[in-house]
Amino acid sequence: MESQALNQTFSYHLQIASLDIPTPVTYIVFIIGLLLYLFSVFCNLTIMLLIITQQLLHKPMFYILFSLPLNDLIGISSILPRVLADIVTQTHTVYYPTCVFQAFLCHMYGGGVLFILAAMSIDRYLAICKPLQYPSIMTPFTLCVIISVAWGLDLALILILFALQARSTRCKTYIENVFCNNPSLLRLSCGEDLTVNNIYGLALTANMQIISVGIQLFSYIKIIIICVSNRSKAVNTCVAQLVTFFLFEFIGTFVILSYRFENLPPNAQKLCGMMIYLILPIVNPIIYGMKTKDILTAFMVVLKKKITFK
């Protein structure tokens, strides 16, 4: 009866795992986490506002890039505020619909990184390898199609993932992670066969990687060949994207491997699981601010205007 009651309503509360932080340093950890979150929000919003307001950045490359800080805000906002609140309040409970929504945003963020970077590599390929045709190819319509496909494909694949998850009956009320994701929601099930969910989850991850990595490999290999043969430095416009891609893949691999280390302390394992949602949203604005000349130039123009106005 209890399991049926749990499954009939979406409004029950779950217990969620927490970081074991000694009481004396609780507020220190909270303040550090809050400062990192505010830094990420400020930097990502700054890049988005620069792209919107500065004529220098009104180019296809930056319209696509706009999606990256937006996605980073989704990623870090889906995780960090909730974890920080639990650290201070010590409540460690989460409303079920909120848990599902958090899990949905987490998976949207992961797929978003891959598809947005793939979209950016297509733009760089066209700009560098087909410079004469670039203006006629990268029309506003083409730009809208590329951005819509990146977000739309991500949304469709994740919706299917959660539609499959919603079919399972729920008997448990404890989330084993410090944040909600699809695997932790599936562990609430009553023990029924989840083969379809597992197969789709693995296929989803594999296909996202194959599509994104395949597009980027094709684009950047072509770019490198063109730049080497023409002794061009245009490849420098791709440095920020490549750094972000390799950083994402490295962190993702590290997180997966961390779950295989049985001797790893529980706190360290929980922190490792959060890394993929925290590091890139904090580091990406710095990478693009330093490695993208037009963004740096636009920022300095705005800064000089503010100083002159004062």
Side-chain angles (χ1 to χ4, degrees), residues 49-260:
L49 288 171
L50 286 173
I51 293 171
I52 292 170
T53 61
Q54 299 304 299
Q55 190 69 32
L56 176 64
L57 303 181
H58 290 176
K59 303 174 184 176
M61 171 184 173
F62 297 107
Y63 288 133
I64 298 174
L65 173 62
F66 183 88
S67 293
L68 198 62
L70 176 61
N71 192 56
D72 283 341
L73 285 176
I74 291 172
I76 196 168
S77 297
S78 66
I79 295 292
L80 197 51
R82 174 76 213 183
V83 172
L84 293 176
D86 281 346
I87 288 173
V88 174
T89 62
Q90 296 292 310
T91 53
H92 311 310
T93 59
V94 60
Y95 198 46
Y96 179 76
T98 306
C99 186
V100 173
F101 185 59
Q102 182 187 50
F104 179 80
L105 291 179
C106 287
H107 289 275
M108 276 292 294
Y109 165 75
V113 173
L114 291 171
F115 289 136
I116 293 165
L117 289 176
M120 293 170 71
S121 72
I122 292 172
D123 172 76
R124 291 297 82 207
Y125 164 73
L126 293 172
I128 295 170
C129 299
K130 300 180 182 294
L132 297 179
Q133 299 100 312
Y134 181 74
S136 60
I137 295 174
M138 195 56 76
T139 61
F141 175 76
T142 306
L143 188 61
C144 288
V145 168
I146 291 173
I147 295 171
S148 299
V149 168
W151 283 101
L153 186 58
D154 186 28
L155 178 62
L157 292 173
I158 301 305
L159 280 175
I160 295 171
L161 181 72
F162 278 82
L164 290 173
Q165 182 272 133
R167 301 180 313 152
S168 62
T169 53
R170 295 173 292 279
C171 295
K172 302 169 188 174
T173 59
Y174 182 69
I175 298 291
E176 299 174 0
N177 208 343
V178 291
F179 61 90
C180 301
N181 55 15
N182 186 60
S184 63
L185 288 170
L186 288 177
R187 292 190 192 103
L188 301 177
S189 68
C190 300
E192 68 262 40
D193 186 8
L194 299 174
T195 303
V196 174
N197 300 70
N198 294 329
I199 291 174
Y200 181 79
L202 290 172
L204 173 64
T205 304
N207 285 325
M208 280 183 169
Q209 288 285 344
I210 290 169
I211 292 170
S212 177
V213 174
I215 291 173
Q216 291 183 77
L217 273 178
F218 172 82
S219 299
Y220 293 127
I221 288 172
K222 288 283 189 179
I223 288 169
I224 290 169
I225 291 171
I226 289 291
C227 289
V228 169
S229 61
N230 296 339
R231 296 182 181 180
S232 170
K233 294 183 179 180
V235 72
N236 291 337
T237 63
C238 307
V239 171
Q241 292 97 300
L242 288 169
V243 171
T244 297
F245 171 71
F246 284 117
L247 191 58
F248 178 79
E249 293 295 334
F250 174 78
I251 295 169
T253 303
F254 181 79
V255 170
I256 292 169
L257 291 176
S258 71
Y259 288 108
R260 303 292 181 267

Side-chain angles (χ1 to χ4, degrees), residues 33-50:
L34 181 61
L35 289 174
L36 288 174
Y37 178 67
L38 293 175
F39 174 80
S40 175
V41 170
F42 172 78
C43 291
N44 282 296
L45 283 177
T46 298
I47 289 180
M48 292 169 69
L49 288 171
L50 286 173

